[in-house]
Amino acid sequence: RDPQGATSQSGITRRDFVAGTVGATLSQLVSYQAAKLELNNKPKPATISKLPVRLDALPPKSKFLDNIERLIPQSALAGTASSRRRSPEFVVYLTAFLINYDEEWKAWWKSQKTKVPFTFANTYKTNPEERAAYVKAQFGDLAAALQVKVNQVEVKGLCKLIFESFGEVTAAKYQSAILFAFLGPEEQPKDLIANILVAELTAKGVEVNSTTLLAKVDTKQATITEEVNIVEVPDQFLPPKLQPAGLIPVYDAGSGTGRTDRWVVPAPGKAAVQTPPRGYMPFLGTDLGFGEPGLREGLDDTFDLFTFVLLALAGGSASAITNSVLFPLDNIKISQQAKSNRRRKAPLLVGQSDEQDNVLRGIVACFLSAGIYGIIVYPGFEFGKLWLSGQVPIQDAVRYRFAFVLLSSASATAVACLAAIPWEAAKIRIIAKPFYAKSAFGTVGRIVKESGVGGLYNGYPPFAIRNVLFALAKFAVFDYFLDALRYLDPGFPVEENIVVLSLAKGAVAGAL
C-alpha cells in the first residue's frame, strides 16, 4: 500500500477495481434482463386455465362440502378416477351460487380479503388491475377445486342436495333452476327445473304449469355458452353477480336438430349486453381449467424449450464475457495470494511481464467456468421459481414467493457451481503453476490423472457458499424491485416504463 492506502500492490486503485467489478456485474444482469424482455413480449394466455387444482383452496368448514363427501362413492374415495365432467358453466355458476347463498361460503370468501399476503398487500390496495387479477385467480382456484369434488358425485344426488339445502330461499330456489340448466342434457333434472319455474312464474301472476313449459320448443334460441360471461366477480371479495332474476330458462325440445331435449339459459340480447360495472370482472367458462388433484402443469405457457435455451445463451454469454474481461484482475489477485512470499509488483498490461506472469494465462478456463455457470443458473432460477409456484395454490404462491425466490436461486447456484468448479480448479492451478500443463483441457486431464475426479471438486463448499450468498441477494433484489417501487410510489406508471424499469432492476440488483 502507499501511505494513504489508496493503491493496491498491482497499481490499480480501489475505485477502479470496484467500478470495474460493479460495471461487469451490471452488464451481466442487463444482458440477462434483455433476454427476459424478449420473452415478456411473447403473447401470454388470456385465461387462468393453467392454474393449479388444489382441494385446499376450498373453505375449511362447510356443511355443504361435508354433505358432498357423503355422496362420493367408495370407488372415488379409493382413488378410482371419475370419467364425469360437469360443464364449466355449471361449475362456475355453482361456485358463485354458493358464495351468494351459503353463509359459510359467503363469510369465508369475505375473509380472504384479510388474508392477502403482506408482500402483495400494498399492490392489492393501490393497483386495481393487479387486485382484480388476484381476486379472479382466487375465484378460479376455488371453482377448479369445487369442480374436482362435484365430478365425483352422481348428478341426481348433487341436484337433490342443492335443492334441499337452498330451496327455502326464494331467490336461491330460482337461481338453482338456472344452475341446473347449465348441466349437460343427459344430466339435467328437467321436471325439477320446470316445477321451480312454475312456482316462480305463478308467484309473479303468470298462469303456467310444468306441462306447458316442457312443451315449449325454441331450437333457434341463442344460449349462454362457456365463451359468454357466466358470472361477474367483484374485486373486493364480495359475492359474485349472478344472472338477472328476469332471465327464464327455455326448454329446447331439439325437434329436427338431432339434439337431446334440454333446458337452456338464453343469452341476453344485444341490447341487454352491458359492460360489467366498474370493479367487476367477467368470468367465462373458458377461464376454468379441468384437472385432477396433483395433476398440474406448474409452469407458465411461455417457459418452453426455446425460453430455456434463450436464457441459457444470454446468461452464459454475459457471464463468460464479463468474467473474461475482468480476468486479468482475478489473475493478479490469485497470483499474489499464491506467491505471497515473493512480494513484487504484478504486471498491469499484457506484454509488460515475462511469460510466467502473463495476466491472460488461464483465461480459457475462466471463460468455460463462467459460461457454464451462467448457462445453468439463470434459466435454472426461472424454471425453479415457476415450478415451485405451480405446485401450490395461487394464494400460497404469492404468500411464499420470497421463499421460492431464495430456494430456487440457491438450488440453481449450487448446481451451477457443481458444473463449473472443475474449470475453476483448472484456472487456479494454471495461475498458481504456469507450466503445469499446456492448456486448460490438459490441466483438467492432469488433475484427474494425479488426484482422481475428486481432485476437480476440491474447494467446492466454499466456492458454492460464496456464490449462493451472492445469488440470494442478487435475485431477491431483482425479483422485488418493482414491488418496492410500487410501495414507495403507488402512482408511478410502471406499465408505461416497463422496458426502462426492467433494465434498471437488473442494474440495481448488480450494484447491491
Side-chain angles (χ1 to χ4, degrees), residues 311-327:
L311 289 180
L313 291 176
S317 59
S319 182
I321 293 172
T322 300
N323 283 274
S324 296
V325 170
L326 286 179
F327 177 74

Side-chain angles (χ1 to χ4, degrees), residues 78-105:
T80 304
S82 171
S83 60
R84 289 184 290 267
R85 287 292 184 273
R86 307 289 176 245
S87 70
E89 299 95 331
F90 174 80
V91 175
V92 170
Y93 209 76
L94 176 59
T95 305
F97 178 90
L98 291 171
I99 295 175
N100 273 272
Y101 300 116
D102 187 297
E103 294 301 325
E104 290 177 321
W105 279 61

Side-chain angles (χ1 to χ4, degrees), residues 317-493:
S317 59
S319 182
I321 293 172
T322 300
N323 283 274
S324 296
V325 170
L326 286 179
F327 177 74
L329 296 177
D330 198 27
N331 191 326
I332 292 170
K333 179 196 71 172
I334 295 173
S335 296
Q336 292 178 352
Q337 291 172 337
K339 305 170 186 177
S340 57
N341 61 325
R342 297 167 54 196
R343 302 187 62 83
R344 60 188 178 81
K345 187 175 181 180
L348 288 178
L349 301 174
V350 179
Q352 285 187 326
S353 65
D354 56 24
E355 182 182 2
Q356 184 175 353
D357 292 318
N358 192 329
V359 294
L360 294 182
R361 181 177 287 109
I363 194 171
V364 173
C366 172
F367 184 90
L368 292 172
S369 174
I372 292 172
Y373 176 87
I375 286 173
I376 296 174
V377 75
Y378 291 109
F381 166 71
E382 287 296 323
F383 179 90
K385 184 179 67 172
L386 290 172
W387 185 84
L388 288 171
S389 299
Q391 306 311 301
V392 297
I394 188 169
Q395 62 266 29
D396 289 341
V398 175
R399 182 179 298 117
Y400 301 118
R401 174 184 165 195
F402 185 68
F404 289 165
V405 168
L406 296 184
L407 183 58
S408 59
S409 59
S411 302
T413 302
V415 174
C417 288
L418 194 65
I421 196 172
W423 299 105
E424 186 72 14
K427 180 186 75 174
I428 301 298
R429 189 67 59 93
I430 291 171
I431 295 174
K433 298 181 179 181
F435 302 107
Y436 186 76
K438 294 182 179 181
S439 66
F441 293 94
T443 301
V444 170
R446 183 171 174 181
I447 292 175
V448 172
K449 184 177 180 180
E450 294 178 351
S451 307
V453 176
L456 296 174
Y457 294 91
N458 290 335
Y460 172 75
F463 178 67
I465 291 172
R466 182 194 70 178
N467 282 283
V468 165
L469 292 176
F470 172 65
L472 292 178
K474 175 176 66 175
F475 285 118
V477 172
F478 185 81
D479 217 65
Y480 277 88
F481 178 82
L482 293 183
D483 297 76
L485 178 62
R486 287 194 177 102
Y487 179 81
L488 296 173
D489 186 3
F492 187 85

Side-chain angles (χ1 to χ4, degrees), residues 100-323:
N100 273 272
Y101 300 116
D102 187 297
E103 294 301 325
E104 290 177 321
W105 279 61
K106 182 185 294 185
W108 175 83
W109 180 249
K110 184 179 180 180
S111 71
Q112 299 309 296
K113 183 178 180 179
T114 65
K115 298 179 181 179
V116 176
F118 76 93
T119 54
F120 186 69
N122 187 68
T123 301
Y124 177 87
K125 293 177 182 177
T126 60
N127 191 319
E129 293 182 358
E130 292 285 348
R131 179 172 62 246
Y134 177 81
V135 175
K136 183 175 181 178
Q138 296 280 345
F139 182 85
D141 214 25
L142 176 62
L146 180 62
Q147 181 260 340
V148 174
K149 289 289 186 182
V150 300
N151 274 353
Q152 297 175 304
V153 180
E154 293 292 342
V155 69
K156 183 178 180 180
L158 178 62
C159 292
K160 181 180 179 182
L161 172 62
I162 293 172
F163 184 76
E164 291 179 350
S165 300
F166 306 101
E168 297 300 322
V169 181
T170 302
K173 184 178 181 180
Y174 168 71
Q175 287 291 342
S176 68
I178 297 178
L179 173 64
F180 297 150
F182 280 126
L183 285 167
E186 303 294 339
E187 298 183 322
Q188 291 180 354
K190 298 180 177 63
D191 292 333
L192 178 59
I193 296 174
N195 292 334
I196 294 174
L197 293 179
V198 166
E200 174 71 14
L201 293 173
T202 301
K204 293 181 178 180
V206 179
E207 294 185 5
V208 67
N209 56 54
S210 59
T211 303
T212 56
L213 279 177
L214 289 172
K216 281 193 174 183
V217 178
D218 193 351
T219 58
K220 297 181 180 179
Q221 178 70 48
T223 63
I224 291 180
T225 67
E226 63 179 14
E227 297 179 358
V228 179
N229 297 354
I230 307 299
V231 297
E232 293 173 356
V233 182
D235 65 357
Q236 293 287 348
F237 287 101
L238 298 173
K241 185 179 178 181
L242 300 172
Q243 293 296 322
L247 189 67
I248 306 296
V250 176
Y251 189 70
D252 184 353
S255 300
T257 65
R259 296 199 307 267
T260 305
D261 296 0
R262 58 174 185 162
W263 284 96
V264 296
V265 181
K270 293 183 179 179
V273 175
Q274 298 179 353
T275 302
R278 182 179 177 83
Y280 280 76
M281 299 155 292
F283 201 98
L284 287 64
T286 52
D287 286 330
L288 180 64
F290 288 88
E292 298 295 342
L295 299 180
R296 54 210 312 153
E297 192 159 327
L299 295 175
D300 191 295
D301 282 352
T302 60
F303 200 98
D304 50 18
L305 180 60
F306 172 77
T307 302
F308 191 95
V309 171
L310 182 61
L311 289 180
L313 291 176
S317 59
S319 182
I321 293 172
T322 300
N323 283 274

